[in-house]
Amino acid sequence: MRHQVCIIGGGPSGLLLSLLLRRAGIDAVVLERRSRSYVLSRIRAGVLEQGLCDILREAGVGARMDAEGFVHDGTIITAHGTTVHIDFKKLTGKSVMIYGQTEVTHDLYDALDRIDAPIFHEAEDVAIHDANGDAPYVTFTHDGKNQRIECDYIAGCDGFHGVSRRSIPDAVRREFEHVYPFGWLGILSETPPVTDELVYSGHERGFALCSMRNANLSRHYLQVPLTDQPEDWSDEAFWAELKLRLPPHLAEVLVTGPSIEKSIAPLRSFISEPMSWGRIFLAGDAAHIVPPTGAKGLNLAASDVYYLSRALISHFGGDGQPLRDYSATALARVWKASRFSWSMTRMLHEFPSEGDFLAKMQAAEVDYLAHSPAAQTALAENYVGLPY
Ligand code: FAD
Ligand code: DHB
């Protein structure tokens, strides 16, 4: 088989890249290790920056998001007895969209189905060959048969645990990592949101976040020790702890109910440089991970895909410079979003080994945020997403 671009990984990065390339007449194929239903069952991000919404619209997959998503013009940050409303719209002129990653993935699959775009699900033992040569190819097993795809370029969109990043030699690759000493326990429940905006709550018992998917579907998170397992937390224990970590006026109105999903994700900051080598280009979680505070993971994947799709389209149109610049262009935005995610995480979580000094710094930071329009603008500008 021959395709111009072989995309490894059918998460949001790989599916969106495939759609953008195919719409520009470039022949791309996607290899995904899991089944389609498995990919669609993963509950992940929920906040889309305006830049991502615009790309989805441009790719012809924005209609359901615009009809069913919720535009949020602000968010609430509360910690150390101070509550701040960050008015994105007033401060930056921009908003974010509440629309689940699962729904985005669904819409991308539907659009790819309509144009008969090739996707191999349950592709096993994917291996990259000659990525640094003129004739790269990818091998894998599908339905028990060995397959080989010859291509011009390989897009590594296979997430943190994929094979693409590791195909860049150790001597070339540099990894930067910060692991946080806690995780987030998340639940999804068919209950109304506690208020009409997201609530980020720093508390001495640990961070909490109240988010949502729609008027009767809430997504809540609690900071938990890395040693905890989802089974350690009954629904009752989760709700009781969440109430303790919210300001009283919100705890009083919190509606509880059975969870329909419960999972724990560890927090890390990770960036691998460069994001390209020879004919392989990384995008999304394959190249970087941010802690979820600030909702940047999916949005960063989207900005990588934006740069990479344009660079490939430009290359096949005769101008190779944007493709040569891809790694540097993408990394400049990645580092800034990582800095923001790290600083939000630092401001709002309990770091048990760091003692009272950090707690005082956090209180001072939230107090500064409450009284400084400049600080609020800086937070809002990062939250709604830096320009592409
Ligand atoms: P992924 O979504 O990881 O997709 C990669 C795909 O590649 C997967 O489908 C995988 O099966 C496939 N793959 C892997 N290895 C191979 C292989 N060898 N061969 C073929 N295919 C392969 N972000 C937020 O902003 N907010 C959140 O609340 C949030 N919650 C998260 C919760 C969890 C548990 C995780 C893991 C991430 C969360 N994120 C969140 C981050 C966000 O979901 C990711 O940034 C986003 O999914 C990145 O998309 P991606 O397509 O780059 O990677
Ligand atoms: C959600 C996740 C986040 O990490 C975040 O900062 C905001 C919202 C969510 O899953 O809804």
Side-chain angles (χ1 to χ4, degrees):
M1 266 181 283
R2 188 177 160 80
H3 293 274
Q4 284 170 292
V5 180
C6 181
I7 300 172
I8 305 179
S13 301
L15 298 176
L16 181 58
L17 182 63
S18 169
L19 185 61
L20 292 172
L21 293 180
R22 290 216 146 247
R23 284 174 66 94
I26 296 170
D27 170 25
V29 61
V30 176
L31 309 182
E32 165 57 47
R33 190 177 53 176
R34 303 286 194 167
S35 68
R36 180 166 169 154
S37 58
Y38 181 93
V39 173
L40 282 171
S41 67
R42 290 189 297 221
I43 309 286
R44 289 183 170 182
V47 179
L48 314 189
E49 294 174 359
Q50 204 160 299
L52 171 50
C53 297
D54 290 343
I55 301 176
L56 294 174
R57 291 184 191 111
E58 183 193 317
V61 281
R64 199 162 70 92
M65 170 190 78
D66 283 326
E68 297 177 16
F70 293 81
V71 174
H72 278 203
D73 290 339
T75 192
I76 296 162
I77 293 184
T78 174
H80 299 277
T82 303
T83 296
V84 193
H85 178 243
I86 307 289
D87 189 332
F88 307 144
K89 191 78 182 173
K90 194 175 91 192
L91 296 164
T92 68
K94 293 185 184 167
S95 311
V96 293
M97 177 78 82
I98 302 301
Y99 190 63
Q101 177 169 331
T102 317
E103 305 308 318
V104 173
T105 309
H106 212 292
D107 296 343
L108 289 168
Y109 272 133
D110 286 351
L112 289 164
D113 285 348
R114 282 196 293 274
I115 55 172
D116 284 330
I119 306 179
F120 288 89
H121 278 103
E122 299 177 69
E124 289 167 29
D125 302 323
V126 172
I128 295 168
H129 308 270
D130 294 349
N132 201 28
D134 289 338
Y137 63 99
V138 177
T139 55
F140 61 103
T141 311
H142 189 251
D143 278 344
K145 293 197 194 93
N146 294 332
Q147 302 280 359
R148 171 180 165 127
I149 293 179
E150 277 143 27
C151 55
D152 296 317
Y153 293 99
I154 297 164
C157 301
D158 47 355
F160 183 64
H161 300 287
V163 292
S164 299
R165 184 178 66 253
R166 280 179 277 274
S167 75
I168 300 180
D170 289 351
V172 174
R173 185 159 40 99
R174 204 162 160 212
E175 297 185 342
F176 302 83
E177 185 169 45
H178 181 74
V179 177
Y180 301 83
F182 41 73
W184 276 19
L185 166 68
I187 68 162
L188 192 67
S189 62
E190 285 170 336
T191 54
V194 64
T195 178
D196 52 8
E197 289 181 342
L198 269 60
V199 181
Y200 288 85
S201 178
H203 191 276
E204 61 191 17
R205 299 180 64 89
F207 171 76
L209 168 61
C210 297
S211 181
M212 63 195 76
R213 291 293 177 271
N214 63 44
N216 196 40
L217 196 57
S218 292
R219 180 80 170 148
H220 299 296
Y221 298 94
L222 290 177
Q223 174 186 349
V224 293
L226 282 171
T227 44
D228 281 15
Q229 302 296 321
E231 311 76 74
D232 300 337
W233 285 84
S234 66
D235 290 351
E236 292 68 30
F238 183 96
W239 292 114
E241 186 62 31
L242 180 58
K243 280 188 180 174
L244 290 173
R245 297 185 189 187
L246 291 178
H249 72 281
L250 292 177
E252 274 161 28
V253 296
L254 180 72
V255 178
T256 65
S259 66
I260 51 176
E261 196 264 356
K262 198 183 277 164
S263 54
I264 293 184
L267 268 67
R268 79 168 84 224
S269 294
F270 171 87
I271 299 180
S272 180
E273 293 189 342
M275 283 175 60
S276 66
W277 179 69
R279 289 180 176 248
I280 183 160
F281 295 82
L282 305 180
D285 281 15
H288 42 73
I289 299 286
V290 288
T293 335
K296 287 285 159 260
L298 175 61
N299 291 298
L300 264 189
S303 59
D304 290 350
V305 167
Y306 171 87
Y307 295 131
L308 184 54
S309 62
R310 269 165 176 66
L312 285 165
I313 293 165
S314 170
H315 168 81
F316 286 112
D319 176 8
Q321 195 56 44
L323 200 53
R324 287 191 283 281
D325 292 342
Y326 166 72
S327 176
T329 309
L331 279 167
R333 193 172 188 279
V334 165
W335 276 110
K336 282 179 280 217
S338 294
R339 185 211 64 81
F340 174 66
S341 307
W342 166 82
S343 73
M344 281 278 280
T345 304
R346 205 93 197 128
M347 178 171 75
L348 294 170
H349 288 73
E350 276 297 293
F351 288 77
S353 64
E354 296 210 26
D356 296 344
F357 180 77
L358 180 66
K360 285 286 187 190
M361 285 292 146
Q362 290 172 326
E365 193 172 352
V366 178
D367 190 27
Y368 174 54
L369 188 65
H371 296 101
S372 163
Q376 291 177 17
T377 305
L379 192 148
E381 181 179 55
N382 281 280
Y383 195 95
V384 301
L386 296 175
Y388 284 5

